[in-house]
């Protein structure tokens, strides 16, 4: 293992705003009743984007908050990989195995001077805003952020008062290649913005007992586009 110096790149890319729904910001709630205020984290923060919502109101609660993150970034015969959040300040980068060279950072993307197969332990700071969304009706609300070519969208579920409130469904998610239909292991799964783990050798992730309803889904895997960046209809799923 080797510590490598960190270089920030000069690549010019239009990134995407990313919303995350974290239960700890909402008293453990991920599905809300009508009239409730849900709080989202918006990355990158401190940019004052234009916010809109399809129903109800949206406003910035706090801006420019900093968060320290430790991630293990996997490169598989590739020059490029992505961190979960935009890298505002890289603190340390250490290769766990093959030395992939000095990483270059642009937004959440990480570039190497040449293809490598290794794991990069990255400690970095990211910046986020807290965004409050209130919806008066029992519907799904789409909240969006947009500025200077960057945009992002997130579906919030305000239908809690339309369900029984009983968690009766055990959910197992299987990740497959959209073209070959083969199962994919080591895919990272986020449900309503919460990290749920990675798929096993058979492509499965056990999500546990979940309330009936519709949930947002984000899947990340090295060598594939994120599900919020591809053209496949795979950004939500329903438990019934």
């Amino acid at each position: 293992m080797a510590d490598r110096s960190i270089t920030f790149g000069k690549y010019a890319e239009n990134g995407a705003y990313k919303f995350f729904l974290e239960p700890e910001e909402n008293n453990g709630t991920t599905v809300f009743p009508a009239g409730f205020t849900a709080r989202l984290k918006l990355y990158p923060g401190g940019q004052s984007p234009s916010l809109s919502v399809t129903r109800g109101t949206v406003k910035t609660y706090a801006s420019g908050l900093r968060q320290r993150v430790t991630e293990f970034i996997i490169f598989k015969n590739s020059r490029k990989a992505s961190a979960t959040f935009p890298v505002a300040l890289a603190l340390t980068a250490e290769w766990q195995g093959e030395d992939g060279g000095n990483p270059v950072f642009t937004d959440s993307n990480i570039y190497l001077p040449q293809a490598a197969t290794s794991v990069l332990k990255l400690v970095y700071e990211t910046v986020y805003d807290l965004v409050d969304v209130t919806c008066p009706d029992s519907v799904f609300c789409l909240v969006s952020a947009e500025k200077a070519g960057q945009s992002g969208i997130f579906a919030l579920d305000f239908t809690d008062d339309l369900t029984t409130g009983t968690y009766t469904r055990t959910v197992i998610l299987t990740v497959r290649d959209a073209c070959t239909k083969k199962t994919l292991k080591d895919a990272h799964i986020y449900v309503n913005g919460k990290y749920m783990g990675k798929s096993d050798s058979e492509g499965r992730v056990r999500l546990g007992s979940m309330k009936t309803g519709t949930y947002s889904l984000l899947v990340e895997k090295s060598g594939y586009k994120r599900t919020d960046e591809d053209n496949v209809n795979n950004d939500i799923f329903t438990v019934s």
Side-chain angles (χ1 to χ4, degrees):
M1 295 185 291
D3 289 316
R4 303 297 302 174
S5 62
I6 295 171
T7 305
F8 283 89
K10 57 183 179 181
Y11 302 114
E13 296 185 355
N14 286 329
Y17 285 109
K18 302 174 185 178
F19 290 97
F20 286 83
L21 176 63
E22 296 191 0
E24 56 265 32
E25 293 287 347
N26 296 278
N27 296 318
T29 301
T30 57
V31 181
F32 306 94
F36 197 86
T37 297
R39 179 163 293 169
L40 298 171
K41 286 185 174 181
L42 174 62
Y43 299 85
Q47 297 187 358
S48 302
S50 175
L51 300 174
S52 62
V53 67
T54 54
R55 191 76 61 88
T57 60
V58 57
K59 65 178 181 180
T60 301
Y61 174 79
S63 180
L65 304 176
R66 302 190 76 85
Q67 174 183 352
R68 179 174 289 200
V69 181
T70 299
E71 281 195 69
F72 292 86
I73 311 297
I74 299 173
F75 291 84
K76 186 176 180 180
N77 194 29
S78 175
R79 291 188 59 242
K80 179 183 176 182
S82 297
T84 301
F85 307 106
V87 179
L89 176 64
L91 301 174
T92 63
E94 181 180 358
W95 287 106
Q96 312 285 294
E98 176 188 349
D99 189 335
N102 291 335
V104 178
F105 301 90
T106 302
D107 192 49
S108 59
N109 294 318
I110 306 168
Y111 298 91
L112 303 181
Q114 59 188 13
T117 298
S118 192
V119 178
L120 179 67
K121 180 182 179 182
L122 177 64
V123 181
Y124 64 96
E125 284 189 352
T126 188
V127 181
Y128 66 95
D129 296 343
L130 291 176
V131 175
D132 285 352
V133 181
T134 305
C135 183
D137 304 309
S138 297
V139 296
F140 277 84
C141 289
L142 296 179
V143 57
S144 61
E146 185 172 359
K147 183 178 181 180
Q150 293 192 95
S151 63
I153 193 167
F154 190 86
L156 274 170
D157 187 349
F158 285 91
T159 65
D160 185 64
D161 48 345
L162 298 181
T163 65
T164 63
T166 303
Y167 290 78
T168 59
R169 299 291 184 266
T170 299
V171 179
I172 299 175
L173 184 71
T174 301
V175 182
R176 299 180 184 274
D177 185 296
C179 296
T180 67
K181 306 303 180 185
K182 291 183 178 180
T183 58
L184 299 175
K185 67 176 183 178
D186 296 330
H188 296 272
I189 311 300
Y190 298 81
V191 175
N192 281 1
K194 179 183 179 182
Y195 182 64
M196 304 300 292
K198 65 180 181 178
S199 55
D200 62 19
S201 60
E202 297 180 350
R204 296 178 303 187
V205 179
R206 289 170 173 80
L207 302 181
S209 295
M210 299 179 68
K211 178 183 289 188
T212 55
T214 301
Y215 297 81
S216 68
L217 176 66
L218 171 64
V219 181
E220 293 181 321
K221 179 173 170 58
S222 179
Y224 288 81
K225 283 187 176 182
R226 291 160 48 107
T227 53
D228 61 349
E229 297 174 349
D230 61 23
N231 58 3
V232 181
N233 186 18
N234 55 7
D235 295 330
I236 62 173
F237 68 98
T238 299
V239 179
S240 59

